[in-house]
Each structure stands twice: as structure tokens, then as C-alpha cells.
Amino acid sequence: MNNQFPIIETERLILRAVTKADAEDILLYLSDPDVVKHMGLEPFESIEDAHDEIAWYESIVKNGTGIRWGITLKEDGRVIGSCGFLNRVPKHFRSEAGFELSKEYWGKGIASEALEAVVRYGFQHLELERVEALIEPANLPSQRLVEKAGFQREGLLRHYEFTCGKFDDLYIYSLLKEDLHI
């Protein structure tokens, strides 16, 4: 990937780099306890929390371990969520997909549209063979979203992460490049 951050356009969305100018928008949805409930994060409390999130997005691109796009609607350009890859392992041609969306836009197919575009980008441009999704068992909407996108549940990772003072079990899902016939 070159130094130019890729922009992905779908029917309704522009997926683009997140900048400091987007911090207020990020703070708005990541301060919502319902949005972060299954993310292993405490709700954001300050603009500094949003700046730290943006710095993390920049660091994973710089380190080659991932890429995170801001999800924006074509009509207003405001960041309403993010979607992308983390824990990328180029040597093994795999990465983990992650996503979140402002509650105001849940149930409208936006996360699905973004995830499908990002996964397709990963297979076509990042030489991925396998994309994984790690999802808490209680997070039924995210499970439905990845299953709709063609991911298969492979199993349960018991006490896989320690977040917010507790151990979390996570379902592991995967999607292979051949599953999409790319």
C-alpha cells in the first residue's frame, strides 16, 4: 500500500481517513455506552479520548498492522463510525476486521455496507487470504452482521481478552477469499 490513504466509495458511503477534525464526531458515538458495550472500551469522556483513538488509527497504518476507515454518509461527510483491519499479519495473509457505528444509524444496513466494502478491499489490495472477526457472545447484532457477510463461526475463545476489569469470551469467525470468489 502506498502512502496515499485509500478512499472506498459504496452506494451510500465514503470510507476515508479519520483526522483530528473528526474528533468531536468520534467522541459523540464512542461516549455512548451502548456503542462501546461489546468493544472492550469504557465510554469516552473527553476529546483527548477521541484524539487517542485517532492516534491509534494512524499508528496501525504506520506499523503495517491494520487500517481503519471512518464511515461517512455521502450527503454530509460526518464520521458516524469506523471499520477496518487490526492485528494484521502479512506473513500469514490474515487480519481481523473491526467495526462500530453510531447508534443513530443502527439497523439501516450501513455497517454491513461498510464491512463488505472493507473486506473486499482487503482481499483485493492487501493480499489477505483470511479475515477474522472476534465477537462477544452477547453481541448478537454483530454476529448477525458478519454471518450475513459470509463469515463462518469457528469456535469460542474462552477468556481471550481482559478488558474493563473482566475476562471476555469471544467467538471467532472467519471469511476466506475463496468464500467470496474473488
Side-chain angles (χ1 to χ4, degrees):
M1 192 165 62
N2 63 19
N3 290 336
Q4 184 75 23
F5 194 96
I7 294 172
I8 302 173
E9 186 171 340
T10 69
E11 185 181 337
R12 299 181 290 170
L13 309 173
I14 301 282
L15 307 178
R16 62 164 175 83
V18 174
T19 69
K20 283 216 164 138
D22 300 310
E24 290 284 347
D25 294 334
I26 290 171
L27 177 60
L28 186 65
Y29 65 81
L30 289 180
S31 62
D32 184 334
D34 290 334
V35 171
V36 300
K37 177 168 51 176
H38 299 295
M39 292 175 60
L41 295 175
E42 295 290 347
F44 283 16
E45 296 178 351
S46 69
I47 200 71
E48 287 73 31
D49 291 339
H51 288 154
D52 289 346
E53 184 77 357
I54 295 165
W56 178 70
Y57 295 168
E58 292 168 352
S59 75
I60 63 173
V61 169
K62 184 178 171 192
N63 298 334
T65 59
I67 182 170
R68 197 78 166 201
W69 285 268
I71 300 171
T72 69
L73 295 172
K74 284 183 176 177
E75 60 263 21
D76 75 5
R78 195 169 53 91
V79 174
I80 59 170
S82 79
C83 186
F85 298 111
L86 61 153
N87 299 325
R88 182 172 173 219
V89 186
K91 172 182 162 183
H92 296 299
F93 301 88
R94 75 170 181 254
S95 192
E96 183 185 329
F99 48 85
E100 81 279 331
L101 189 63
S102 172
K103 190 165 53 181
E104 171 184 354
Y105 297 97
W106 289 2
K108 300 179 189 314
I110 290 171
S112 203
E113 190 174 326
L115 178 64
E116 288 175 24
V118 162
V119 165
R120 191 167 293 279
Y121 182 92
F123 287 139
Q124 292 175 337
H125 301 284
L126 302 179
E127 299 180 336
L128 296 177
E129 173 62 23
R130 173 185 170 91
V131 176
E132 299 171 345
L134 301 177
I135 301 172
E136 289 183 6
N139 189 349
L140 298 176
S142 288
Q143 291 173 48
R144 285 192 293 272
L145 189 148
V146 298
E147 288 167 2
K148 180 180 175 234
F151 284 72
Q152 295 178 30
R153 186 188 301 174
E154 295 182 333
L156 180 69
L157 303 170
R158 300 179 319 139
H159 286 203
Y160 191 73
E161 288 182 341
F162 184 79
T163 61
C164 302
K166 66 184 180 0
F167 289 99
D168 297 321
D169 294 341
L170 297 173
Y171 283 131
I172 183 165
Y173 285 83
S174 72
L175 183 68
L176 303 182
K177 186 175 186 177
E178 67 190 34
D179 296 336
L180 291 186
H181 311 291
I182 290 178

